[in-house]
Amino acid sequence: SPVGRGPEVPFRCEAYSISAIARGKELRLTLSALDPAAGPPPQDLVFRFGMSGSFRLCPAAELPRHAHLRFLTRESPPRALCFVDPRRFGSWRLGDAWQPERGPCVISEYQAFRENVLKNLDDRAFDKPICEVLLNQKYFNGIGNYLRAEILYRLKIPPFEKARTMLEALKEQEMRKKDPSLTLSKKVKLRQENPDLLELCHTVPKEVISAELLDPEHSDNYAAFKNWLQCYLVPGMSSLRDHSGRTIWFQGEPGPMAPKGQRPRKAPRKKSPEVKADPEAPSPKVTPRASKQHRKAAVKPLKSQVKEEEKEEEADGPRKGRARGRRKVTAAPALPEVPLGVRRSSRTSARRGKGAAPAV
């Protein structure tokens, strides 16, 4: 599209196929001519999705907004496979090379991923808290902010425990699992009943993928995703900013390496049912403008959750629009009650002073 930030794709062909392979947080597309002898050589593109990037197949006459790259079909009417990215955090680049600083994929290259972590525990990167190391794509390619919270929560690991301390214990577990006296069924059962940190880095993302919880084509996917979450943005859980400024959600104590000078914040729980108001008490008048602003305030938490990933802001930070909405519909404090006779006499006196007829 004219506003797309990615490079121009130098591939022109009347009939071609598209294949794809994923690795961690990257996806590689390969464009191949159906007739290799007459068409151009294959073209590879490597995508990063950012927060909001996705692919959609839709009618070519009904392109979604922010469709920054489009591949058209030859059918009638034609359809378009679009790379859609509303926030433009995603990108693509030409060529087939994965980013060199990314390690093996936690899903598709599990054994290589596991070995890459355990054989490099002397790296200074593992001097940091475990919650921060889980975002290091050199070792945990594919793990993001919500996944690290869910993984640590399931294992009841404080997020600010030292990473090396937590991971070195896995070496001993690795030796026990390789005990030749254990049958294959016992080894499988042992892993299922006692999954370790690296195993959950593999299985937890697969839960999201297999259930299609983040499929943009399903209108109810966000509700399903929220129901799946056990820790991230869940009411009652605590949060802290790590040393990189990213917010980590957890339950219980943060751990010995927690940043100094911060106090954990808790996500507010759902409000209890309100007490019914006195039916004879006058209710404040709500103007259409105030009502509209109040409805906008009601959906504000969703935007704050998006900003949690986008700018890593606190979920319970100030929301000006929300405050304005409340002021519009809040009744003013009542003035002291004045006896009826006094009010009439004062009004009559004021009008007489101005030459008006007495009030009836």
Side-chain angles (χ1 to χ4, degrees), residues 175-192:
M175 296 302 294
R176 288 198 298 269
K177 291 176 181 178
K178 292 181 180 180
D179 186 348
S181 63
L182 293 176
T183 63
L184 179 60
S185 60
K186 287 184 178 180
K187 289 180 181 180
V188 172
K189 184 178 180 181
L190 183 63
R191 292 195 176 190
Q192 289 177 344

Side-chain angles (χ1 to χ4, degrees), residues 287-304:
T287 64
R289 180 182 178 85
S291 175
K292 184 177 181 181
Q293 290 185 354
H294 192 63
R295 286 196 302 270
K296 287 182 178 180
V299 300
K300 200 75 171 182
L302 179 58
K303 289 188 176 181
S304 73

Side-chain angles (χ1 to χ4, degrees), residues 108-175:
S108 61
E109 303 169 299
Y110 171 63
Q111 288 301 329
F113 149 71
R114 187 179 184 92
E115 293 171 5
N116 185 47
V117 172
L118 294 180
K119 75 179 182 181
N120 288 295
L121 289 180
D122 56 346
D123 191 329
R124 292 179 60 186
F126 295 96
D127 291 336
K128 296 181 178 181
I130 185 63
C131 67
E132 297 177 17
V133 174
L134 285 174
L135 295 183
N136 187 335
Q137 301 299 295
K138 181 179 179 181
Y139 295 109
F140 295 88
N141 184 12
I143 301 299
N145 203 20
Y146 81 89
L147 285 173
R148 68 168 176 172
E150 296 299 312
I151 291 167
L152 295 176
Y153 170 79
R154 293 190 187 191
L155 293 172
K156 307 303 179 189
I157 295 177
F160 291 96
E161 289 284 353
K162 191 173 183 178
R164 184 178 292 107
T165 304
M166 303 305 304
L167 293 169
E168 279 183 340
L170 300 187
K171 287 186 174 181
E172 297 180 7
Q173 296 180 22
E174 197 82 359
M175 296 302 294

Side-chain angles (χ1 to χ4, degrees), residues 57-65 70 72-73 75 77-82:
L57 184 62
C58 58
E62 302 174 11
L63 293 177
R65 294 185 62 190
R70 307 130 185 196
L72 301 178
T73 68
E75 60 192 332
R79 290 184 295 171
L81 178 66
C82 305

Side-chain angles (χ1 to χ4, degrees), residues 85-101:
D85 186 18
R87 294 185 181 86
R88 301 189 196 179
F89 290 170
S91 63
W92 69 85
R93 62 184 185 277
L94 305 179
D96 62 351
W98 305 112
Q99 283 186 308
E101 66 272 18

Side-chain angles (χ1 to χ4, degrees), residues 320-333:
K320 293 181 180 180
R322 189 169 188 153
R324 285 197 298 269
R326 280 201 301 267
R327 285 197 294 271
K328 287 282 185 181
V329 299
T330 302

Side-chain angles (χ1 to χ4, degrees), residues 270-283:
K270 293 182 179 180
K271 294 182 179 180
S272 57
E274 297 182 359
V275 179
K276 290 186 178 180
D278 182 358
E280 296 184 3
S283 58

